[in-house]
Amino acid sequence: MRISLLTQIMIAFIIAVVAGVIAGPAMQAVQPLGDLFLRLIKFIIVPLVLTSLVVGVAGTGDLKKLGRMGGKTILYYLVTTAIAVTLGLVIGNLFSPGTGLAITEPESKVEYQEAPGLVATLLGIIPTNPVAALVEGNMLQIIFFAIFLGLGITLVGEKGVPVYRFFEGLAEVMYKITSIVMRVAPLGVFGLIAPTVGSYGVSILLPLMKVILAVAIGCLLHALITYSAAVKLFAAISPVRFFKGIGPASLVAFSTCSSSGTLPVTIRNTEENLGVSKRVGSFVLPLGATVNMDGTALYQGVCVLFVAQFFGYDLTLVQQLMVVLTATLASIGTAGVPGAGLLMLTMVLTSVQLPLEGIALIAGIDRILDMFRTAVNVTGDASAAVVVAASEGELKRGRAAAVGSSS
Ligand code: ASP
């Protein structure tokens, strides 16, 4: 009997948690397995995104169509992110994770993180040197470069065909490499989860258990309500099929705490298991891994209330609305790498004049919160790919797309 990849990863996950609890810090010994997997998926990202997006755009060759798809994607990202922060605030109000805490106020001063201006951010999307963008792995610049390459290939016509074929071939090769790397995913998940579970003692987790629970429950609700409704209403896909299909990517995201690092898995799962076309997936997903962070936004909503409650501030409704706005923007500015959301929290706290020292309180448990929020970030990107693909008539349905979860 062949066990599906999702089941294998889940088994690895459970064994890792049990091993971490039993063996404690000794589980650090398996960290190299996790690092091995991380490096393997990271090395695929840049060539995969570049080639698949060039092929996707050149295959469309229509600026209008591309603009329409971009508009829908960004609208979906903004709306779901705003819903996520709001849910975070509601849960933060209900749970009151910052009241009655028996921990001492941190003394350390936290450095203020200056957010870059809007104009500079937008200009920064255009690479002055596309090769440098590839070398640095600057995802937005790579997307920009790939879109123009794809358009250029179409406009050139016959002479562009060899270039197209080159990218098409390389894209296929990168997909193949992704499928090879995915075979070690269960081992990788074990190597990432066991040391994390092993290194966190009860004494660190217990005082802040309410924050962890608030973020975890918020993330779960957002996925179960918002994404289920979105894929059901806009793409007529059953939520069970959606979660099963994206399961491996969600678990890899949970283990790696990196949306960008998970990208090759997300692309593969949405295409093979959920039937999203290459054109839509290769556009929507790299963009999402860089700018769409629903889990991060939700976490920031919870954390703002936590800090306010801990230091005894009352946030008015207007201030909470301000948090919806700044957390949405902050999550867009958050990089898809571990711990980035904590840095951007400074921006949100500053917007409502809360003490930045609150960050030091959260820092100790941030890795745990990062797991939940990154899993939601990635699942949210996938839901966008499904919804956009359906609206563009590019969602394969039926068995062919549904059986992929065993791959
Ligand atoms: N680790 C998250 C991600 O990669 C970002 C964050 O720290 O919130 O999606």
Side-chain angles (χ1 to χ4, degrees), residues 48-63 65-66 69 143 146-151 153-154 164 167-169 171-172 175 271 277-284 392 394:
L48 176 68
V49 170
L50 178 72
T51 54
S52 62
L53 190 48
V54 168
V55 174
V57 174
T60 318
D62 182 347
L63 249 187
K65 238 177 147 179
L66 202 70
M69 186 163 79
I143 293 173
I147 289 176
F148 271 85
L149 265 180
L151 285 176
I153 289 172
T154 318
Y164 178 77
F167 279 108
E168 193 184 32
E172 280 309 318
Y175 289 126
E271 286 175 5
S277 72
K278 281 210 165 75
R279 184 178 82 91
V280 172
S282 61
F283 175 81
V284 173
E392 293 280 305
E394 293 193 29

Short mmCIF file of all heavy atoms in Angstrom, two decimals, residues 48-63 65-66 69 143 146-151 153-154 164 167-169 171-172 175 271 277-284 392 394:
data_model
loop_
_atom_site.label_atom_id
_atom_site.label_comp_id
_atom_site.label_asym_id
_atom_site.label_seq_id
_atom_site.Cartn_x
_atom_site.Cartn_y
_atom_site.Cartn_z
N LEU A 48 12.64 28.32 -10.23
CA LEU A 48 11.26 27.86 -10.43
C LEU A 48 10.32 29.04 -10.70
O LEU A 48 9.54 29.03 -11.64
CB LEU A 48 10.79 27.08 -9.20
CG LEU A 48 9.34 26.62 -9.23
CD1 LEU A 48 9.13 25.55 -10.29
CD2 LEU A 48 8.89 26.06 -7.89
N VAL A 49 10.42 30.07 -9.86
CA VAL A 49 9.54 31.22 -10.02
C VAL A 49 9.82 31.91 -11.36
O VAL A 49 8.91 32.22 -12.13
CB VAL A 49 9.71 32.21 -8.85
CG1 VAL A 49 8.99 33.51 -9.14
CG2 VAL A 49 9.19 31.59 -7.58
N LEU A 50 11.09 32.13 -11.65
CA LEU A 50 11.44 32.83 -12.89
C LEU A 50 10.90 32.08 -14.11
O LEU A 50 10.16 32.62 -14.92
CB LEU A 50 12.96 32.99 -13.00
CG LEU A 50 13.40 33.67 -14.30
CD1 LEU A 50 13.06 35.15 -14.30
CD2 LEU A 50 14.90 33.50 -14.55
N THR A 51 11.25 30.81 -14.21
CA THR A 51 10.89 30.08 -15.43
C THR A 51 9.38 29.87 -15.54
O THR A 51 8.81 30.08 -16.60
CB THR A 51 11.59 28.71 -15.48
OG1 THR A 51 11.31 27.99 -14.28
CG2 THR A 51 13.08 28.84 -15.64
N SER A 52 8.73 29.49 -14.44
CA SER A 52 7.30 29.19 -14.58
C SER A 52 6.51 30.46 -14.86
O SER A 52 5.53 30.44 -15.59
CB SER A 52 6.76 28.43 -13.37
OG SER A 52 6.89 29.20 -12.23
N LEU A 53 6.95 31.58 -14.30
CA LEU A 53 6.20 32.82 -14.56
C LEU A 53 6.44 33.31 -15.99
O LEU A 53 5.50 33.77 -16.66
CB LEU A 53 6.62 33.89 -13.53
CG LEU A 53 5.77 35.15 -13.50
CD1 LEU A 53 4.29 34.83 -13.46
CD2 LEU A 53 6.12 36.01 -12.30
N VAL A 54 7.67 33.19 -16.49
CA VAL A 54 7.94 33.59 -17.88
C VAL A 54 7.04 32.77 -18.81
O VAL A 54 6.39 33.31 -19.70
CB VAL A 54 9.43 33.36 -18.25
CG1 VAL A 54 9.64 33.48 -19.74
CG2 VAL A 54 10.31 34.35 -17.50
N VAL A 55 6.99 31.47 -18.58
CA VAL A 55 6.18 30.59 -19.43
C VAL A 55 4.70 30.97 -19.31
O VAL A 55 3.98 31.06 -20.31
CB VAL A 55 6.40 29.11 -19.05
CG1 VAL A 55 5.46 28.20 -19.82
CG2 VAL A 55 7.84 28.71 -19.30
N GLY A 56 4.27 31.22 -18.07
CA GLY A 56 2.87 31.59 -17.85
C GLY A 56 2.49 32.85 -18.61
O GLY A 56 1.46 32.91 -19.29
N VAL A 57 3.34 33.88 -18.49
CA VAL A 57 3.03 35.15 -19.14
C VAL A 57 3.15 35.02 -20.65
O VAL A 57 2.29 35.48 -21.41
CB VAL A 57 3.96 36.27 -18.62
CG1 VAL A 57 3.73 37.56 -19.40
CG2 VAL A 57 3.72 36.50 -17.14
N ALA A 58 4.20 34.39 -21.13
CA ALA A 58 4.38 34.26 -22.58
C ALA A 58 3.25 33.43 -23.18
O ALA A 58 2.82 33.66 -24.30
CB ALA A 58 5.73 33.61 -22.88
N GLY A 59 2.73 32.49 -22.38
CA GLY A 59 1.61 31.67 -22.85
C GLY A 59 0.34 32.49 -22.98
O GLY A 59 -0.52 32.20 -23.80
N THR A 60 0.21 33.54 -22.17
CA THR A 60 -0.97 34.40 -22.24
C THR A 60 -0.75 35.49 -23.27
O THR A 60 -1.57 35.73 -24.14
CB THR A 60 -1.22 35.11 -20.88
OG1 THR A 60 -1.01 34.18 -19.85
CG2 THR A 60 -2.58 35.73 -20.81
N GLY A 61 0.39 36.16 -23.12
CA GLY A 61 0.77 37.20 -24.07
C GLY A 61 -0.22 38.34 -24.18
O GLY A 61 -0.34 38.97 -25.22
N ASP A 62 -0.93 38.61 -23.12
CA ASP A 62 -1.97 39.62 -23.20
C ASP A 62 -1.94 40.46 -21.92
O ASP A 62 -2.27 39.99 -20.85
CB ASP A 62 -3.30 38.88 -23.36
CG ASP A 62 -4.48 39.82 -23.50
OD1 ASP A 62 -4.31 41.02 -23.23
OD2 ASP A 62 -5.57 39.34 -23.87
N LEU A 63 -1.55 41.72 -22.09
CA LEU A 63 -1.41 42.60 -20.93
C LEU A 63 -2.74 42.79 -20.19
O LEU A 63 -2.77 42.84 -18.96
CB LEU A 63 -0.91 43.96 -21.38
CG LEU A 63 0.53 44.34 -20.97
CD1 LEU A 63 0.82 45.77 -21.34
CD2 LEU A 63 0.74 44.13 -19.47
N LYS A 65 -5.30 40.74 -19.96
CA LYS A 65 -5.65 39.55 -19.18
C LYS A 65 -4.82 39.50 -17.90
O LYS A 65 -5.30 39.17 -16.82
CB LYS A 65 -5.35 38.30 -20.01
CG LYS A 65 -6.56 37.43 -20.23
CD LYS A 65 -6.22 36.27 -21.11
CE LYS A 65 -7.02 35.05 -20.73
NZ LYS A 65 -6.74 33.89 -21.56
N LEU A 66 -3.55 39.85 -18.07
CA LEU A 66 -2.63 39.82 -16.94
C LEU A 66 -3.06 40.85 -15.89
O LEU A 66 -3.07 40.58 -14.68
CB LEU A 66 -1.22 40.14 -17.45
CG LEU A 66 -0.10 39.67 -16.58
CD1 LEU A 66 -0.01 38.16 -16.62
CD2 LEU A 66 1.21 40.28 -17.07
N MET A 69 -6.05 39.64 -13.99
CA MET A 69 -5.69 38.62 -13.00
C MET A 69 -4.99 39.28 -11.80
O MET A 69 -5.27 38.93 -10.65
CB MET A 69 -4.76 37.60 -13.67
CG MET A 69 -4.44 36.43 -12.80
SD MET A 69 -3.77 35.10 -13.79
CE MET A 69 -2.09 35.62 -14.01
N ILE A 143 9.58 38.76 -10.02
CA ILE A 143 8.26 38.70 -10.66
C ILE A 143 8.17 39.76 -11.77
O ILE A 143 7.73 39.51 -12.88
CB ILE A 143 7.14 38.91 -9.61
CG1 ILE A 143 7.11 37.73 -8.64
CG2 ILE A 143 5.79 39.08 -10.27
CD1 ILE A 143 6.18 37.90 -7.45
N ALA A 146 10.26 38.69 -14.71
CA ALA A 146 9.68 37.55 -15.42
C ALA A 146 8.49 37.99 -16.28
O ALA A 146 8.33 37.55 -17.42
CB ALA A 146 9.24 36.48 -14.43
N ILE A 147 7.67 38.90 -15.72
CA ILE A 147 6.50 39.37 -16.48
C ILE A 147 6.97 40.05 -17.77
O ILE A 147 6.46 39.80 -18.86
CB ILE A 147 5.65 40.33 -15.62
CG1 ILE A 147 4.94 39.54 -14.52
CG2 ILE A 147 4.63 41.06 -16.48
CD1 ILE A 147 4.14 40.38 -13.56
N PHE A 148 7.99 40.91 -17.64
CA PHE A 148 8.47 41.62 -18.84
C PHE A 148 9.15 40.68 -19.82
O PHE A 148 9.01 40.84 -21.04
CB PHE A 148 9.36 42.79 -18.44
CG PHE A 148 8.54 44.02 -18.23
CD1 PHE A 148 7.93 44.27 -17.01
CD2 PHE A 148 8.33 44.91 -19.27
CE1 PHE A 148 7.12 45.37 -16.82
CE2 PHE A 148 7.52 46.03 -19.08
CZ PHE A 148 6.92 46.26 -17.86
N LEU A 149 9.88 39.71 -19.31
CA LEU A 149 10.49 38.73 -20.22
C LEU A 149 9.40 38.00 -21.00
O LEU A 149 9.49 37.84 -22.22
CB LEU A 149 11.28 37.69 -19.42
CG LEU A 149 12.77 37.92 -19.23
CD1 LEU A 149 13.35 36.78 -18.40
CD2 LEU A 149 13.48 37.98 -20.58
N GLY A 150 8.36 37.60 -20.29
CA GLY A 150 7.26 36.86 -20.93
C GLY A 150 6.58 37.71 -21.99
O GLY A 150 6.29 37.25 -23.10
N LEU A 151 6.33 38.98 -21.64
CA LEU A 151 5.69 39.87 -22.61
C LEU A 151 6.59 40.08 -23.82
O LEU A 151 6.16 40.04 -24.98
CB LEU A 151 5.38 41.23 -21.96
CG LEU A 151 4.19 41.22 -21.01
CD1 LEU A 151 4.05 42.58 -20.35
CD2 LEU A 151 2.92 40.88 -21.77
N ILE A 153 8.89 38.15 -25.02
CA ILE A 153 8.93 36.93 -25.85
C ILE A 153 7.72 36.90 -26.79
O ILE A 153 7.84 36.63 -27.98
CB ILE A 153 8.95 35.67 -24.95
CG1 ILE A 153 10.29 35.54 -24.25
CG2 ILE A 153 8.64 34.41 -25.76
CD1 ILE A 153 10.37 34.45 -23.19
N THR A 154 6.55 37.24 -26.25
CA THR A 154 5.34 37.21 -27.07
C THR A 154 5.42 38.24 -28.19
O THR A 154 5.09 37.96 -29.34
CB THR A 154 4.11 37.56 -26.21
OG1 THR A 154 4.23 36.88 -24.98
CG2 THR A 154 2.83 37.17 -26.90
N TYR A 164 11.53 31.04 -25.42
CA TYR A 164 10.37 30.46 -24.74
C TYR A 164 10.61 28.97 -24.44
O TYR A 164 10.38 28.50 -23.33
CB TYR A 164 9.12 30.63 -25.61
CG TYR A 164 7.88 30.01 -25.02
CD1 TYR A 164 7.20 30.63 -23.98
CD2 TYR A 164 7.41 28.78 -25.47
CE1 TYR A 164 6.08 30.06 -23.42
CE2 TYR A 164 6.29 28.19 -24.91
CZ TYR A 164 5.63 28.84 -23.89
OH TYR A 164 4.53 28.26 -23.32
N PHE A 167 12.91 28.43 -21.49
CA PHE A 167 12.27 28.60 -20.18
C PHE A 167 11.28 27.48 -19.89
O PHE A 167 11.16 27.01 -18.77
CB PHE A 167 11.57 29.97 -20.10
CG PHE A 167 12.53 31.09 -19.80
CD1 PHE A 167 12.89 32.01 -20.76
CD2 PHE A 167 13.09 31.21 -18.54
CE1 PHE A 167 13.78 33.03 -20.47
CE2 PHE A 167 14.00 32.23 -18.24
CZ PHE A 167 14.34 33.13 -19.22
N GLU A 168 10.59 27.07 -20.96
CA GLU A 168 9.60 26.00 -20.79
C GLU A 168 10.29 24.72 -20.32
O GLU A 168 9.86 24.06 -19.37
CB GLU A 168 8.90 25.75 -22.12
CG GLU A 168 7.67 24.90 -22.00
CD GLU A 168 7.07 24.61 -23.38
OE1 GLU A 168 7.83 24.51 -24.36
OE2 GLU A 168 5.86 24.48 -23.45
N GLY A 169 11.42 24.41 -20.97
CA GLY A 169 12.16 23.20 -20.59
C GLY A 169 12.71 23.29 -19.18
O GLY A 169 12.58 22.35 -18.38
N ALA A 171 11.59 25.12 -16.78
CA ALA A 171 10.48 25.06 -15.81
C ALA A 171 10.11 23.60 -15.53
O ALA A 171 9.94 23.22 -14.37
CB ALA A 171 9.27 25.83 -16.35
N GLU A 172 10.03 22.81 -16.58
CA GLU A 172 9.70 21.39 -16.39
C GLU A 172 10.74 20.71 -15.50
O GLU A 172 10.42 19.91 -14.62
CB GLU A 172 9.63 20.65 -17.74
CG GLU A 172 8.34 20.84 -18.51
CD GLU A 172 7.10 20.56 -17.68
OE1 GLU A 172 7.09 19.58 -16.93
OE2 GLU A 172 6.13 21.35 -17.77
N TYR A 175 10.18 21.63 -11.94
CA TYR A 175 9.05 20.89 -11.35
C TYR A 175 9.48 19.49 -10.95
O TYR A 175 9.11 18.96 -9.92
CB TYR A 175 7.89 20.77 -12.35
CG TYR A 175 7.18 22.06 -12.59
CD1 TYR A 175 7.00 22.55 -13.88
CD2 TYR A 175 6.69 22.83 -11.53
CE1 TYR A 175 6.37 23.76 -14.11
CE2 TYR A 175 6.05 24.03 -11.75
CZ TYR A 175 5.90 24.50 -13.05
OH TYR A 175 5.27 25.69 -13.26
N GLU A 271 -1.15 23.08 -8.10
CA GLU A 271 -1.29 22.62 -9.49
C GLU A 271 -1.72 21.16 -9.55
O GLU A 271 -2.67 20.81 -10.23
CB GLU A 271 0.01 22.83 -10.25
CG GLU A 271 0.21 24.31 -10.57
CD GLU A 271 1.54 24.63 -11.21
OE1 GLU A 271 2.29 23.68 -11.53
OE2 GLU A 271 1.83 25.82 -11.40
N SER A 277 -4.13 26.19 -12.85
CA SER A 277 -3.26 26.18 -14.04
C SER A 277 -1.88 26.75 -13.69
O SER A 277 -1.74 27.53 -12.75
CB SER A 277 -3.88 27.03 -15.15
OG SER A 277 -3.78 28.39 -14.80
N LYS A 278 -0.89 26.37 -14.48
CA LYS A 278 0.47 26.86 -14.24
C LYS A 278 0.52 28.37 -14.34
O LYS A 278 1.21 29.04 -13.59
CB LYS A 278 1.43 26.25 -15.28
CG LYS A 278 1.83 24.83 -14.95
CD LYS A 278 3.24 24.54 -15.50
CE LYS A 278 3.79 23.28 -14.89
NZ LYS A 278 3.22 22.04 -15.42
N ARG A 279 -0.22 28.90 -15.31
CA ARG A 279 -0.19 30.35 -15.54
C ARG A 279 -0.66 31.10 -14.28
O ARG A 279 0.00 32.02 -13.81
CB ARG A 279 -1.11 30.71 -16.71
CG ARG A 279 -1.08 32.16 -17.09
CD ARG A 279 -1.98 32.43 -18.28
NE ARG A 279 -3.37 32.60 -17.89
CZ ARG A 279 -3.91 33.77 -17.59
NH1 ARG A 279 -3.18 34.86 -17.60
NH2 ARG A 279 -5.17 33.86 -17.24
N VAL A 280 -1.77 30.67 -13.72
CA VAL A 280 -2.31 31.36 -12.54
C VAL A 280 -1.41 31.08 -11.32
O VAL A 280 -1.02 31.99 -10.60
CB VAL A 280 -3.76 30.92 -12.26
CG1 VAL A 280 -4.24 31.47 -10.93
CG2 VAL A 280 -4.67 31.39 -13.37
N GLY A 281 -1.06 29.82 -11.11
CA GLY A 281 -0.26 29.46 -9.93
C GLY A 281 1.08 30.19 -9.91
O GLY A 281 1.50 30.70 -8.88
N SER A 282 1.72 30.27 -11.07
CA SER A 282 3.06 30.85 -11.08
C SER A 282 3.02 32.37 -10.93
O SER A 282 4.03 33.01 -10.68
CB SER A 282 3.84 30.44 -12.32
OG SER A 282 3.18 30.90 -13.45
N PHE A 283 1.83 32.96 -11.08
CA PHE A 283 1.71 34.39 -10.85
C PHE A 283 1.24 34.69 -9.43
O PHE A 283 1.86 35.45 -8.69
CB PHE A 283 0.73 35.00 -11.87
CG PHE A 283 0.45 36.45 -11.65
CD1 PHE A 283 1.34 37.42 -12.11
CD2 PHE A 283 -0.68 36.86 -10.96
CE1 PHE A 283 1.10 38.76 -11.89
CE2 PHE A 283 -0.93 38.21 -10.73
CZ PHE A 283 -0.03 39.16 -11.20
N VAL A 284 0.13 34.04 -9.06
CA VAL A 284 -0.51 34.34 -7.77
C VAL A 284 0.34 33.91 -6.57
O VAL A 284 0.46 34.64 -5.58
CB VAL A 284 -1.90 33.64 -7.71
CG1 VAL A 284 -2.53 33.77 -6.32
CG2 VAL A 284 -2.83 34.20 -8.76
N GLU A 392 -10.91 32.69 -13.78
CA GLU A 392 -10.31 32.83 -15.11
C GLU A 392 -10.64 31.61 -15.98
O GLU A 392 -10.09 31.47 -17.08
CB GLU A 392 -8.79 32.94 -14.98
CG GLU A 392 -8.30 34.21 -14.32
CD GLU A 392 -8.29 35.40 -15.28
OE1 GLU A 392 -7.65 35.31 -16.34
OE2 GLU A 392 -8.93 36.42 -14.96
N GLU A 394 -9.61 28.64 -15.34
CA GLU A 394 -8.38 27.84 -15.45
C GLU A 394 -8.19 26.89 -14.28
O GLU A 394 -7.08 26.67 -13.81
CB GLU A 394 -7.17 28.77 -15.56
CG GLU A 394 -7.18 29.55 -16.85
CD GLU A 394 -5.87 30.23 -17.14
OE1 GLU A 394 -4.82 29.74 -16.71
OE2 GLU A 394 -5.91 31.28 -17.80
#
